[in-house]
Amino acid sequence: MTETMIRTTCPRDCYDGCGIRVILNDGEIDRVTGDPEHPENRGSLCGKCTLAYNGVWRDPSARLLRPLRRTGPKGSDAFEEVSWDDALGEIAARLGGLIDAGRAHDILTAHYTGTCSVIANQFPMRFFNHIGATEVNPDSICNLSGHVALGYVLGESATGFDPRTAKVSTCLIIWGGNPSASGPHVNKHWLAEFPGTLIVIDPIRTPTAARADIHLRPYPGTDATLAFGMMHALKDMGSLDDDFIARHTVGFDELSTAIADWTPARAAGVTGIPEADIIHAAEAYGAGPSMLFLGQALCRAPTGDNAFRAAAMLPAITGNIGKPGTGLCFLNGKGTTRGLDMGYVGRADLRADAGQSISHMDLRAALEETPVDKALFLWNINVAASNPDQKRLLAALESDHLFTVVVDLFLTDSVRRADLVLPAASFLEFDDLVGSYFHLSLGPQSKAAEPMGDALPNQEIFRRLARAMELNEPALYEDDEQILNHLLSAHGLTFDELKESGTVYPSASPVILWEDLNFPTPSGKIELASTRAAADGHPLVPSAEPLARPASGKVRLLTPAGQWHMNSSYDNEPRIAARAAEPTITLHPVDAEALGLAEGITARVHNEAGALSMRVAISEKTLPGVAWSPKGMWPGRGRDGLNVNALNPGLRADMGDSTALHGVEVTLESLG
């Protein structure tokens, strides 16, 4: 046999952006492995990608291969194969009918990060923008609140720090993030090589927290209090950068009043963190140069946006931004840090109006409200698994009045409730671009095989649908090669040249982001006090006040990323399903004893939104009053036909109309 290799890039929703080598024998994929020449993953893939990419991703019996039309009740898996022409013709007629009736806004499209490759992730929005559909805001299910909060402080949220500058940093704080699950190679290599003091702020003793020099464990909802306690300590020890504050910030006088009220001792009484640990962390950060890495979990709370604003004060008042080894990173956008013309891909300018958008927190209600004969188009997302108020959402998806189309690779719980199913190609089956949202890398997604069956890339599906609807806008038909070369023109590359060279960076040497200290805020400075926030109904400066603790008998439920899932991806890989076969809730021994719950028993976990049967685990890795259960299981595999999102009533964060799922409270009772 003749063995050849194709270099590509992992497009999953992960900080890593791993390099991949696809090994072919006689033109057929033999195995998918890590690229030893890639600087971030250095030859390995994480366990979940290794299993999935050499398992269900390449298993024809697991993949959707033909368009499907529902023939029985929604959720019954009763489908028949149809041709692409028939499927697209039916969709065109249904959507066209709504458009002709002046009801384009009753066409809802929901999507997110089933793939993060650039064209497959964004090009379909050209179609929906052109027809005037209502977009379900993708980030509202994840991190929109953090984007809004940082927008008030820095003017935008997608310019962080270049991780390569960490080699000159003396301190790194990871706040509300667990790279061991959500960026395994960030955890394995970047953190392992960090030269300074590592501080992890997380109520759970995750593997990332376990490797920290300092692990601060605030009770959920007290992060802003902790930030103010640290700011007070920094001021007391003379670690504020008065010149930087005067030259590059506005609003310090307003902020300093709140700082004065929150001594480390007072913050300790609220957060549960010893006063000495708060001071120790502040000393390490204040010594600088220091970096702050804000994780997604921090903003997924009822007061998460306020916590984001409060944490963002630390680099501003110590001058830890715009210099080597410093900065604040939430995400690194491909447009802001790598010069890609991302607006060109989705083309919001194709809308004839300002457009309508709703939150994922409102999707269930939107499907239920009159008129009920709406259309729902899902791609790159599995709302049946990921969205709140799950039991009622599943009922809404099963309405015969709703016309639902799902684009996917697999028979997910959302697909099972569709009227028409369109099979999508995998990342191994078409060309695209991938950029990490942490590292400043940009790599090729290279076609290694033909799409299975009649599957098509997302973008080609929507080109064909536009043609079936006889739409005349040329942008709806632009081919991948033109888009790729347009995007790469900022780097002076063609896509063929990128495939040859592999991953590229904006420069060979580390980049100092925010080096010019010009911020896209109204003042051009970091806004410690934000008049825009105040005009939007939020405090002028962030508040140190904590979120109220649960009532007696209840615990706060955290649902972070787990080791074996990528959001809801991978749960259909048998070797992964076997590792996460049973929904489990972990309690602190104090809570287990108080509730009369023993290791391994089944408990009824419930609140006003729903109830689940879950196996109890007991560990000091969590705090008293805090339970945790990793997300990712498909509802259809759960004991109750539901997953942990059945316990989320759709709580909203304090900004951005975004999810606050880490504010969920539950009661537990033994089922024996």
Side-chain angles (χ1 to χ4, degrees), residues 219 548-556 591 594-595 625 665-668:
Y219 191 87
R549 296 212 178 188
S552 177
K554 294 185 177 182
V555 295
R556 186 70 47 75
D591 294 317
L595 296 170
E665 299 175 8
V666 296
T667 302
L668 292 89

Side-chain angles (χ1 to χ4, degrees), residues 48 177-188 191 206-209 562-563:
K48 50 195 165 191
N178 177 24
S180 69
S182 54
H185 293 96
V186 168
N187 189 75
K188 181 179 180 180
L191 287 184
T206 66
T208 295
Q563 180 183 2

Side-chain angles (χ1 to χ4, degrees), residues 109-132:
T109 180
H111 60 104
Y112 201 40
T113 52
T115 176
C116 289
S117 59
V118 172
I119 303 178
N121 184 270
Q122 289 294 311
F123 182 88
M125 282 308 300
R126 291 191 181 191
F127 172 84
F128 291 108
N129 284 329
H130 180 68
I131 66 173

Side-chain angles (χ1 to χ4, degrees), residues 256 373 409 545 581 630 665:
S256 62
D373 61 331
L409 281 74
E545 293 298 325
E665 299 175 8

Side-chain angles (χ1 to χ4, degrees), residues 217-219 222 267-274 549:
R217 306 180 72 181
Y219 191 87
T222 67
V270 171
T271 63
I273 300 170
R549 296 212 178 188

